[in-house]
Amino acid sequence: MLLNHLVDVFNDAFEHEHDFSHRPFILKENRVNGLFGPIRIGSVFSAIRQSAKPTRIIGHAAQIEVAANTNNYVDEDEIASLLANRETYHSNLESIITFDRLSRTVHVLNYLALLSVDQLLFLEVDPRHILGIKKDHGVYFQDFIAKIGLETKNVVVVLTVYSQYARHYQELLAGLENYRRQGYQIALKFDNLPNDKALADLIAQLSPQYIFVSARVLEQLPDAIIENTLSKLMTSFGLAKSQTILQHIDDKKTDFLARHSGFDYVEGSYYRVIPLDYSRKPENPVVSHV
């Protein structure tokens, strides 16, 4: 199916299933953007590379590119609806689940247009989305990616585990297992180094296929303890049989650290830029790692 036809299919679906009063996906110069209230969502893809041979790419991590929606047109009927039912309208506009689904759909459509679909696509899911869906996680999105010709085994669902979600780890674990049953691969990211027992237990129970660690977190540690800290982390990751990815590598020193510490894969600006067609970026884009 051609990309413009797919955009029409997803516009129809979002209008029908999410009560959108407009068609949220727009296609211009072979790039898809999603409209969500006052913002316009695009995609930035960052290559995940083999640590020992960075020229070998196994997949891409999708990030949100956000710009102002300068065509945020609201018709008279929509204004009337807003005034008649402010609470419902606000709830729909701010829906985490809707935003999460819309942004991931944008990424998948752009992935189809710009990259090789036989590689892995790493897609982040908001923890609130997982907690907000009671069962059958991934079924809704599975229908979307099937229309595009992707298989769930080539999609890696990435969850950033924030410390404030510690009381909800079991619910998050159950949701991720639901994704896994649908055929998705699973990755965990952390807002800090995973060094407490609750996080270690989560990793052990889930045994994610991939674990992300940010080089920016390591930069906050004294040089004297970085290697020892990484050694302990890599041991626990190895027990979970997870493959490791060091992100945000910006210089040669951190690249050396990744290879010396035994990370399987790397990602960051230190490596050459992927030649994608981003000649027409939105004005004043702000990249958000969501």
Side-chain angles (χ1 to χ4, degrees), residues 12 51 53 90-92 98 116 130 144 149 180 192 224 226 232 251 263:
D12 291 341
S51 176
K53 190 174 182 180
H90 179 78
S91 175
N92 288 339
T98 302
S116 173
I130 294 180
F144 276 19
R180 179 171 278 162
N192 212 325
I226 288 181
K232 291 180 179 178
D251 53 39
F263 278 89

Side-chain angles (χ1 to χ4, degrees), residues 51 54 227 230 246 249-263 266 270-271:
S51 176
E227 287 196 21
L230 278 179
L246 186 62
I249 296 177
D250 300 325
D251 53 39
K252 186 174 183 178
K253 175 184 175 182
T254 316
D255 169 65
F256 174 81
L257 181 64
R259 289 183 284 108
H260 182 70
S261 301
F263 278 89
V266 291
Y270 174 71
Y271 310 100

Side-chain angles (χ1 to χ4, degrees), residues 17-18 39 48 68 127 142 176 193 195 203 206 226 244-245 273 275:
E17 297 173 21
H18 294 285
I39 65 173
I48 306 296
Q142 183 180 10
L176 290 173
L193 291 178
N195 56 9
I203 294 171
L206 182 62
I226 288 181
T244 52
I245 304 169
V273 176

Side-chain angles (χ1 to χ4, degrees), residues 29-94:
E29 298 181 356
N30 212 39
R31 295 187 66 197
V32 178
N33 280 184
L35 305 179
F36 192 81
I39 65 173
R40 179 157 49 95
I41 302 165
S43 303
V44 175
F45 295 101
S46 183
I48 306 296
R49 306 168 181 272
Q50 288 190 1
S51 176
K53 190 174 182 180
T55 55
R56 186 166 296 172
I57 296 170
I58 66 156
H60 292 81
Q63 301 168 353
I64 292 177
E65 182 181 59
V66 178
N69 175 16
T70 56
N71 297 317
N72 189 22
Y73 174 76
V74 181
D75 62 27
E76 293 183 5
D77 290 339
E78 190 171 358
I79 295 172
S81 175
L82 166 62
L83 294 175
N85 197 343
R86 294 172 186 267
E87 183 176 350
T88 300
Y89 184 89
H90 179 78
S91 175
N92 288 339
L93 185 62
E94 298 299 323

Side-chain angles (χ1 to χ4, degrees), residues 193 195 217-233 257 261:
L193 291 178
N195 56 9
V217 175
L218 300 178
E219 291 170 358
Q220 301 172 16
L221 300 176
D223 289 344
I225 69 169
I226 288 181
E227 287 196 21
N228 186 50
T229 301
L230 278 179
S231 177
K232 291 180 179 178
L233 280 177
L257 181 64
S261 301

Side-chain angles (χ1 to χ4, degrees), residues 43-48 57-63 103-125 141 145 148 150-158 183-187 210 212 245 276 278:
S43 303
V44 175
F45 295 101
S46 183
I48 306 296
I57 296 170
I58 66 156
H60 292 81
Q63 301 168 353
S103 59
R104 280 186 285 150
T105 302
V106 168
H107 294 328
V108 168
L109 289 170
N110 282 322
Y111 179 66
L112 176 70
L114 299 172
L115 298 167
S116 173
V117 295
D118 60 349
Q119 295 179 336
L120 297 175
L121 175 61
F122 292 78
L123 288 175
E124 297 203 29
V125 59
F141 198 60
I145 65 175
I148 291 174
L150 288 177
E151 297 183 67
T152 54
K153 68 179 181 180
N154 289 333
V155 177
V156 184
V157 173
V158 183
Y184 299 91
Q185 296 193 60
I186 303 297
Y210 301 93
F212 285 87
I245 304 169
L276 299 180
Y278 287 143

